[in-house]
């Protein structure tokens, strides 16, 4: 296994597609990195990998090292700012053409996931986040089976389950929670994504997909609720175009006034690394709290 | 040595070898099994030493004998439309239900929905028939009828418990899809909409190979405006092209949001690369239209009501009517028959 140096493995799951598994994975990784942890992301969505795009490293290629592959470096550790390193591995790096369809049946996907886990060599990593495709099928079965067989005791911390508030999404995510129960995968908590959208014109918050559905579901299944994450068009612009998030004066998130910086430098240049720009995003404050709770839970549950 | 990551199996090869009948195995499939239904069954390198080798090698080759049965079952279905998207959560199921309600406004048309998303079926909830079960008669399984002219079939109807996880690998899913096509008594039908899970994998290959002979009108591909989603949808269009499925058009969902308080419009999922329209032009496929975000669509889906009938004058509904008309045009059907004014 190339996972010996990984301390904690966290799976990001959801029965439903498009609820923001990859975006939550990305933000968890950035937040953990900002808290000084070294982080890795493994994208096992084989037919629709999004992580390379989210991290703006679409053109990167995986390098071959003796006996396996070295994950792609997103940013190095910066010790004076207490930022940990971030590496990523995805099938997207291996495709010759970004528009090519990967049409694989189950057994082929299983073989690929086993190989991903075995042959990707992770350096000393505090947290490895595994981003998954939607559903409870080949990828998930293979992943959990392989981890159960090969991971060191206590290494797999558990799963973060992502949902959106509407009942159509939670209906599918409930199935995922039952999947975790059946496979003895502990649920670290539920994250409700896309919970409300704040209009940039009038600051009115509209619950486009409703709200509260994630909390109700978590209570019903007696699993922790980690928090709700609103929609932020600035975050999408950051991911899509690499634009540094800017907010109008007076914008407050979790008690922080986040508008000041943008006001000072209206032409704030879009240079800088993703992790640096993410610090200016309103969601980074939401995720800071969420990640803190998560790390506490993982270390308390007897991780190494 | 494990298979090389650098050279994925060419899509043409996978498509050229449709499913064969699965033989009865004496042992579980090994790690690098080419699939007992595949053309290489019993002959691949990894088959050496497998206890199933002799069984797989001697199993009858040639197309699945059930395909003619499927074609016979579906011969009275006039139009078969797939709803596809490489990306999850872009609104495939929402679009499928909206399309179904739109087609069903003409009392003379009969419409069916087949939900092939086995691990995360959404159609029953959106149609408000979550608690139904299917009825088995001598001639086959009858779909659940939502309205007099609108029937639905989904794996959800077979689960003893609403929240049960369906933890199935590919071959088992293929088996169920085949059964849906072979055993469901659709009868005479004008439109059969096939809702699919995200991706380009087992379900899509199976639907394609089972329906090929009976003829598919084409696929409606759904996307959202942002590039993260277009990236996966591009792969889906590539898949359609290689599989010989006609793309009837690309529809963009969640494009723009109008604040109910100040009527200011925001592009939540910004089309930084031109959105669905640019992709349609790039790929040379028709663009059916863009439907804006409306919180009431999600709500109608949660309560199993028809957004299409409840809010006929909303901007989203008007945009959607346009999509339906362009789709009818692409299919060569008179749009006045499909969606009476």
């Amino acid at each position: 296994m190339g996972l010996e140096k990984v301390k904690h493995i966290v799976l990001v799951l959801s029965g439903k597609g498009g609820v923001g598994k990859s975006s939550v994975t990305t933000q968890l990784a950035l937040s953990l990195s900002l808290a000084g942890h070294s982080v890795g992301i493994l994208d096992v969505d084989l037919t629709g990998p999004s992580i390379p795009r989210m991290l703006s490293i679409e053109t990167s290629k995986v390098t071959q090292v003796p006996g396996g592959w070295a994950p792609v470096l997103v940013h190095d550790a910066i010790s004076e700012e207490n930022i940990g390193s971030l590496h990523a591995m995805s099938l997207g790096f291996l495709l010759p053409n970004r528009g090519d369809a990967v049409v694989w049946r189950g057994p082929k996907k299983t073989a690929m996931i086993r190989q991903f886990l075995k042959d990707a060599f992770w350096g000393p990593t505090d947290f490895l986040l595994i981003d998954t495709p939607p559903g409870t099928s080949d990828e998930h079965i293979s992943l959990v089976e392989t981890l159960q067989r090969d991971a060191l005791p206590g290494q797999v911390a558990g799963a973060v389950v992502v949902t959106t508030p509407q009942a159509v999404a939670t209906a599918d995510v409930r199935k995922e929670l039952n999947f975790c129960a059946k496979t003895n995968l502990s649920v670290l908590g539920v994250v409700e994504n896309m919970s409300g959208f704040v209009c940039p014109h009038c600051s009115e918050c509209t619950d486009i997909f409703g709200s509260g559905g994630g909390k109700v579901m978590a209570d019903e299944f007696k699993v922790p609720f980690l928090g709700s994450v609103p929609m932020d068009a600035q975050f999408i612009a950051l991911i899509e175009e690499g634009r540094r998030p800017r907010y109008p004066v007076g914008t407050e998130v979790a008690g922080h006034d986040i508008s000041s910086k943008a006001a000072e430098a209206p032409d704030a240049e879009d240079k800088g690394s993703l992790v640096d720009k993410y610090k200016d995003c309103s969601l980074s404050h939401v995720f800071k709290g969420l990640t803190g709770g998560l790390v506490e839970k993982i270390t308390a549950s007897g991780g190494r | 040595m494990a298979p090389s990551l650098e050279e994925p199996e060419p899509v043409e090869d996978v498509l050229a070898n449709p499913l064969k009948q699965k033989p009865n195995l004496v042992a579980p499939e090994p790690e690098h099994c080419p699939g007992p239904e595949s053309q290489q069954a019993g002959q691949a390198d990894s088959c050496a030493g497998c206890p199933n080798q002799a069984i797989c090698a001697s199993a009858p080759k040639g197309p699945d004998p059930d395909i003619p049965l499927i074609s016979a079952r579906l011969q009275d279905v006039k139009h078969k439309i797939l709803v596809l998207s490489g990306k999850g959560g872009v609104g495939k199921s929402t679009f499928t239900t909206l399309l179904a309600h739109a087609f069903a406004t003409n009392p003379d048309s009969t419409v069916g929905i087949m939900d092939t998303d086995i691990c995360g079926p959404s159609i029953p909830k959106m149609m408000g028939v979550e608690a139904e079960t299917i009825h088995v008669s001598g001639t086959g399984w009858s779909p659940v009828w939502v309205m007099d002219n609108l029937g639905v079939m989904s794996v959800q109807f077979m689960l003893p418990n609403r929240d049960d996880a369906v933890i199935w690998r590919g071959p088992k899913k293929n088996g169920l899809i085949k059964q849906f096509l072979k055993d469901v008594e659709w009868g005479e039908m004008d439109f059969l909409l096939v809702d699919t899970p995200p991706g380009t994998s087992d379900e899509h290959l199976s639907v394609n190979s089972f329906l090929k002979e009976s003829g598919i009108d084409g696929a409606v591909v759904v996307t959202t405006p942002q590039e993260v989603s277009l990236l996966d949808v591009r792969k889906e269009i590539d898949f359609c092209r290689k599989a010989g499925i006609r793309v009837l058009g690309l529809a963009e969902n969640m494009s723009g949001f109008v604040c109910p308080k100040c009527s200011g419009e925001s592009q939540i999922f910004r089309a930084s690369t031109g959105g669905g329209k640019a992709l349609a032009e790039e790929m040379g496929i028709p663009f059916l239209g863009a439907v804006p975000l409306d919180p009431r669509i999600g709500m109608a889906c949660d309560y199993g009501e028809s957004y299409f009938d409840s809010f006929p004058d909303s901007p989203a509904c008007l945009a959607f009517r346009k999509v339906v008309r362009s789709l009818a045009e692409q299919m060569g059907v008179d749009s006045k028959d499909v969606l009476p004014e």
Side-chain angles (χ1 to χ4, degrees):
Chain A
M1 290 275 279
L3 297 172
E4 278 103 10
K5 292 180 187 158
V6 175
K7 277 196 206 145
H8 307 288
I9 299 175
V10 177
L11 278 67
V12 181
L13 300 173
S14 174
K16 181 94 187 110
V19 294
K21 283 176 298 303
S22 300
S23 117
V24 167
T25 309
T26 305
Q27 299 193 65
L28 278 178
L30 292 172
S31 292
L32 284 166
S33 163
L34 283 171
H37 303 286
S38 50
V39 189
I41 299 180
L42 174 63
D43 180 10
V44 300
D45 191 343
L46 302 176
T47 53
S50 307
I51 289 291
R53 169 91 197 162
M54 295 248 174
L55 297 172
S56 334
I57 45 172
E58 267 188 298
T59 49
S60 301
K61 291 272 174 253
V62 170
T63 39
Q64 220 148 20
V65 294
W69 297 289
V72 172
L73 177 75
V74 183
H75 65 248
D76 241 327
I78 311 170
S79 44
E80 46 291 6
E81 289 179 50
N82 193 30
I83 292 176
S85 63
L86 176 59
H87 288 84
M89 180 77 188
S90 164
L91 184 76
F93 297 140
L94 303 159
L95 299 177
N97 196 326
R98 72 197 280 268
D100 282 356
V102 176
V103 188
W104 287 354
R105 288 193 180 275
K108 179 104 184 162
K109 293 198 275 193
T110 302
M112 181 62 83
I113 285 175
R114 292 216 176 111
Q115 202 182 0
F116 254 36
L117 288 171
K118 216 169 64 205
D119 292 350
F121 282 93
W122 300 93
T125 305
D126 294 331
F127 293 94
L128 178 68
L129 307 174
I130 304 185
D131 186 20
T132 61
T136 49
S137 191
D138 295 282
E139 290 91 340
H140 308 81
I141 303 172
S142 313
L143 186 63
V144 173
E145 265 178 8
T146 312
L147 287 177
Q148 267 170 359
R149 206 184 47 212
D150 295 342
L152 306 165
Q155 198 178 18
V156 179
V160 171
V161 177
V162 186
T163 186
T164 49
Q166 75 273 46
V168 169
T170 55
D172 285 353
V173 179
R174 283 158 187 273
K175 292 177 198 284
E176 197 74 36
L177 288 173
N178 276 326
F179 170 83
C180 292
K182 271 191 197 164
T183 54
N184 287 325
L185 191 63
S186 78
V187 177
L188 294 169
V190 172
V191 175
E192 184 182 284
N193 195 22
M194 306 197 193
S195 160
F197 171 70
V198 179
C199 175
H201 306 292
C202 65
S203 301
E204 168 86 358
C205 184
T206 310
D207 292 331
I208 298 186
F209 299 112
S211 79
K215 176 96 176 83
V216 171
M217 181 182 72
D219 288 348
E220 201 180 306
F221 277 80
K222 299 195 175 59
V223 293
F225 180 68
L226 292 174
S228 22
V229 180
M231 286 199 253
D232 182 356
Q234 293 292 325
F235 173 71
I236 296 163
L238 167 66
I239 291 292
E240 287 272 299
E241 300 156 66
R243 225 176 40 177
R244 189 178 283 273
R246 278 162 231 160
Y247 299 92
V249 180
T251 314
E252 245 182 58
V253 171
H256 298 268
D257 184 12
I258 53 168
S259 61
S260 54
K261 206 168 178 183
E264 276 166 30
D267 302 318
E269 85 286 23
D270 292 336
K271 287 192 207 109
S273 61
L274 180 66
V275 68
D276 182 46
K277 281 185 269 189
Y278 181 65
K279 276 194 288 189
D280 287 349
C281 181
S282 68
L283 296 184
S284 72
H285 300 284
V286 177
F287 265 87
K288 201 172 177 184
L290 208 148
T291 315
L294 190 64
V295 171
E296 216 166 89
K297 212 163 278 158
I298 293 171
T299 41
S301 68
R304 294 174 304 149
Chain B
M1 180 59 196
S4 164
L5 276 181
E6 306 281 349
E7 287 164 40
E9 208 170 339
V11 180
E12 288 82 357
D13 280 5
V14 182
L15 292 168
N17 298 316
L19 287 183
K20 311 285 174 291
Q21 200 173 21
K22 186 179 175 181
N24 289 319
L25 304 183
V26 291
E29 291 101 323
E31 185 157 331
H32 296 301
C33 176
E37 305 98 331
S38 73
Q39 201 76 258
Q40 298 93 38
Q43 291 155 12
D45 293 346
S46 51
C47 293
C50 174
N52 297 319
Q53 188 182 13
I55 301 170
C56 289
S58 60
K61 297 278 181 260
D64 193 315
D66 285 330
I67 288 181
L69 295 177
I70 293 173
S71 304
R73 185 64 104 173
L74 295 175
Q75 63 180 355
D76 293 329
V77 177
K78 280 189 208 137
H79 301 285
K80 301 173 200 76
I81 305 160
L82 307 181
V83 182
L84 298 173
S85 172
K87 182 91 188 115
V90 296
K92 285 176 295 304
S93 302
T94 309
F95 247 77
T96 309
T97 50
L98 282 171
L99 276 176
H101 280 299
F103 287 150
T105 47
N106 182 348
D108 298 334
S109 308
T110 317
V111 187
I113 300 181
M114 191 176 91
D115 186 3
T116 62
D117 191 342
I118 289 165
C119 295
S122 308
I123 293 287
K125 181 154 200 94
M126 293 182 174
M127 286 300 204
V129 287
E130 219 185 351
E132 298 283 334
T133 49
I134 41 171
H135 304 283
V136 182
S137 68
T139 49
W141 302 350
S142 9
V144 170
W145 293 93
V146 181
M147 299 190 321
D148 287 343
N149 60 346
L150 176 53
V152 177
M153 191 67 205
S154 167
V155 72
Q156 183 76 44
F157 301 139
M158 298 183 214
L159 300 180
N161 211 321
R162 195 181 63 171
D163 295 342
D164 279 355
V166 181
I167 309 175
W168 285 6
R169 288 189 180 275
K172 215 168 160 188
K173 295 196 276 192
N174 299 334
L176 184 70
I177 291 176
K178 182 157 104 180
Q179 208 159 10
F180 268 8
L181 290 164
K182 197 174 65 136
D183 294 343
V184 177
E185 178 77 346
W186 292 109
E188 261 185 51
M189 199 154 262
D190 296 283
F191 301 98
L192 179 63
L193 299 163
V194 183
D195 186 22
T196 60
T200 47
S201 192
D202 294 280
E203 293 89 341
H204 310 81
L205 287 165
S206 305
V207 169
N208 180 45
S209 58
F210 290 139
L211 286 182
K212 197 118 211 199
E213 201 177 295
S214 47
I216 305 173
D217 280 56
V220 175
V221 182
V222 185
T223 186
T224 49
Q226 79 276 38
E227 180 59 29
V228 170
S229 163
L230 296 176
L231 183 63
D232 291 351
V233 173
R234 204 170 275 131
K235 291 180 203 279
E236 195 77 35
I237 298 172
D238 184 46
F239 165 78
C240 288
R241 219 169 253 169
K242 286 174 173 159
I245 303 171
R246 184 178 157 213
V247 178
L248 292 168
L250 180 71
E252 186 178 282
N253 193 19
M254 308 194 195
S255 66
F257 168 70
V258 179
C259 175
K261 192 179 167 205
C262 69
S263 312
E265 198 178 331
S266 333
Q267 300 293 329
I268 300 187
F269 301 109
R270 263 176 67 93
S272 56
T273 52
K277 197 161 187 309
L279 179 69
E281 271 163 29
E282 177 197 325
M283 305 292 276
I285 53 174
F287 182 66
L288 298 176
V291 177
L293 263 176
D294 183 339
R296 291 174 299 187
I297 298 184
M299 239 178 318
C301 286
D302 277 359
Y303 291 105
E305 283 167 8
S306 164
Y307 173 79
F308 197 79
D309 297 333
S310 310
F311 304 100
D313 300 320
S314 60
C317 199
L318 295 178
F320 187 74
R321 295 178 84 94
K322 228 183 261 168
V323 171
V324 175
R325 281 199 203 95
S326 344
L327 177 64
E329 219 166 86
Q330 289 298 329
M331 287 181 1
V333 195
D334 190 354
S335 61
K336 286 199 191 73
D337 281 352
V338 175
L339 194 61
E341 290 294 325

